[in-house]
Every structure is written in structure tokens, then in C-alpha cells.
Amino acid sequence: MTEQSEVERIRALSALIGWAERRERLASDRADLVAGAWRTGTRSVAELARLARVSRDTVYADLALRDIEVSKRNEHVSGPLTGRGQPLNPESVRAVARIADALTRPAFAHDPSDPITRAALAASGALETTADVLDPPTDQGPGWSPKDTLPHLAEQGQTLSHQAHRALAAVAEQEDLAVAADFQRRAALHARRIAVANAATLMVTVPTGENVTVILGVDETSWTTMSSDSALVDDDVDALDHLEVRAAFQVLSQVVTRHLAEGALVERSTEALPDTPPPRSRYVAGDHP
């Protein structure tokens, strides 16, 4: 299968899934679209009815469902299109999850060891779990309440992070990773409102049942170090180890920061951090002449 035919296959699947998801809520979708057209300035019921190919009575009913009074044509109507937004729709999230799954499953079958593919698969699963959190299935038996599904969502996030770190470890030089770690630490300290984890001492029970002490820290280059009081743990730290220890330090720092007393905080720095890398920008076609 060529790359172009694969793209066409995904588009076809997306359209089919979108239709299946919409068929049960066509009236609700139409009401949203009619209300959106009204909010953006189309205040003719006849025109809306003609474009939607429904009766005027249907348009009146759709507008009423969205709390729009047709008699107040000249009044500004607030709503999702004016900045309030709207909550996540579980059906829409599930539709996106199925499209993502249709894309990632064949890629996973092609190369299950590829970290980017595995990260995409975790993201796809996270979307499906998000839909389950928002709208727990009622026909699947017990175990689908948010307190049951949210831990799974967190695990998928951890999987995504791990696979992203795997991919980064494969392409980045140790020096670059150390420089990035140093910048992250300096940036956190520069904020003057965040605790920064520099080291951690762990009591670890190894599979043999023995308890050993492991000390994690950083050297003068900001590379991660590891030492232990037992020969059962070696001290070699590779790029993946470094990235995941740094991520763990960030989580620990966030926990401690939430418990800082006011006396530990100072006024936020207003000066720019030296050697700040340039911001990433994404340019969309049509934004510029």
C-alpha cells in the first residue's frame, strides 16, 4: 500500500466513523450549526431554513433549544463562538479516538518497537479513556466509574512520556541533554516560586527481597548520577535513564512546591532568563501573504 493510498484509506475511515457518530445526534448537530450561523450574523429564519433544507418551524425550534430568541434579532448573542467555549463532548472525543486508533493500529502492526508509534498508540488510547471518564459505559459491567478509569488514563500518559523519552534518547547527544537539563533547572529557579529537586535517596526492595539504598543526583555538567550501597545496582546512566530521572525530579518538585510555606517564596522574577532559546512558532498557510 502506497503512502497516498494509506492517506486516502484513513480519510475514508474518518468519514465513515464521523457519519456513524453523527447519525444518532443529527438533530443536536443541526441545532448547534443553526445557532452558530445565527450568532455569527445570519438572522434570517427563511435563509437558515433554505440552507439547512428544513422547515422554518424546525429552525425556530433549533434556535429555542439553544436559548436564542428570534424576536431579538438586533441583540448580540453570547455563546461558544464569543470565547466562552464549551465542555468536552464524550461522543466527539470518542470519534476522534477511533480515527486515531484506525491510524495507529496498522502502524503498530508494521513496527511495534517504534517509540513514536507506541506514543501515538498511547495517545489514541488516552482519548478513548477520556471519553469513558466523561461518559462511563453502562453496559460493560462494573469498573467503569471515573475512579476506575482515571488511573488508566494516567498510565497511558506515563506510557506516552516513556516512549517520547525513548525516541529522544535515540537521537540526542548526551551533551545536549545535559544542557537542556541545566536550562530547565535554571528556568525553574529563575521563577523564584518553585522548589527544585536536586537529588533523591530511595530505599528500594529488589526482586530478591533485599532492601538497598539508591542515590540519584546530578554532576557538574547537569548529567544524572546514580549510586548505591549495594553491588546489586550498577551506576551506569544512559540517555533514557537521565531523561526519566529528570522527569521524576520535576514531579517531585511539583509536589513539594504545593506544600511550600509562604516564607519559602519570593517575588516572581520579571527579568528574562539569560540564554533563553528562541520560541518555536508554527506558521499556517494563509497566515502571511
Side-chain angles (χ1 to χ4, degrees):
M1 180 176 290
T2 66
E3 181 178 350
Q4 181 59 35
S5 61
E6 172 67 6
V7 171
E8 293 173 353
R9 184 182 74 86
I10 295 301
R11 286 176 177 170
L13 283 175
S14 301
L16 178 61
I17 294 170
W19 174 83
E21 292 295 329
R22 290 195 304 271
R23 64 180 299 190
E24 297 299 330
R25 58 177 194 277
L26 290 177
S28 177
D29 283 352
R30 188 191 61 240
D32 288 338
L33 294 171
V34 169
W38 184 275
R39 290 188 177 104
T40 53
T42 304
R43 301 295 171 86
S44 168
V45 172
E47 182 179 3
L48 292 173
R50 179 178 59 81
L51 294 174
R53 298 181 184 179
V54 296
S55 67
R56 294 187 184 187
D57 288 343
T58 299
V59 172
Y60 281 118
D62 287 343
L63 293 173
L65 283 173
R66 296 299 177 260
D67 299 322
I68 293 176
E69 296 185 35
V70 177
S71 61
K72 300 179 179 179
R73 282 184 169 81
N74 296 325
E75 290 187 6
H76 174 72
V77 180
S78 63
L81 297 179
T82 61
R84 290 195 326 184
Q86 56 188 354
L88 281 174
N89 182 308
E91 293 182 355
S92 298
V93 174
R94 205 178 302 279
V96 174
R98 290 172 181 169
I99 293 171
D101 186 74
L103 173 67
T104 55
R105 288 290 174 185
F108 180 74
H110 172 71
D111 185 1
S113 65
D114 177 58
I116 297 300
T117 298
R118 294 177 71 92
L121 192 65
S124 170
L127 283 169
E128 183 69 32
T129 304
T130 298
D132 290 336
V133 172
L134 295 170
D135 182 27
T138 58
D139 58 349
Q140 303 294 319
W144 291 94
S145 69
K147 65 181 176 60
D148 299 310
T149 52
L150 281 170
H152 186 44
L153 180 60
E155 291 171 2
Q156 289 165 325
Q158 292 168 352
T159 298
L160 197 160
S161 175
H162 172 69
Q163 296 301 334
H165 286 151
R166 274 189 61 210
L168 177 57
V171 299
E173 299 293 336
Q174 176 172 328
E175 180 181 357
D176 295 330
L177 295 177
V179 168
D182 176 64
F183 177 79
Q184 289 174 346
R185 182 179 183 278
R186 290 190 298 111
L189 290 172
H190 187 72
R192 306 176 72 180
R193 307 281 293 183
I194 302 173
V196 177
N198 300 308
T201 300
L202 308 177
M203 181 64 71
V204 179
T205 302
V206 298
T208 60
E210 299 176 63
N211 292 325
V212 301
T213 299
V214 176
I215 301 175
L216 301 171
V218 294
D219 63 16
E220 64 279 0
T221 69
S222 292
W223 188 253
T224 299
T225 62
M226 182 166 57
S227 60
S228 175
D229 62 355
S230 170
L232 297 175
V233 181
D234 67 48
D235 58 2
D236 292 333
V237 175
D238 63 18
L240 180 58
D241 298 330
H242 166 81
L243 289 167
E244 301 214 303
V245 169
R246 296 304 307 171
F249 276 6
Q250 286 184 307
V251 172
L252 292 173
S253 298
Q254 291 167 5
V255 172
V256 174
T257 296
R258 291 197 294 268
H259 293 269
L260 289 178
E262 189 62 33
L265 304 175
V266 295
E267 291 186 7
R268 188 177 299 276
S269 176
T270 58
E271 299 177 355
L273 177 67
D275 301 322
T276 299
R280 289 189 296 270
S281 299
R282 186 186 300 279
Y283 297 102
V284 179
D287 284 354
H288 304 281

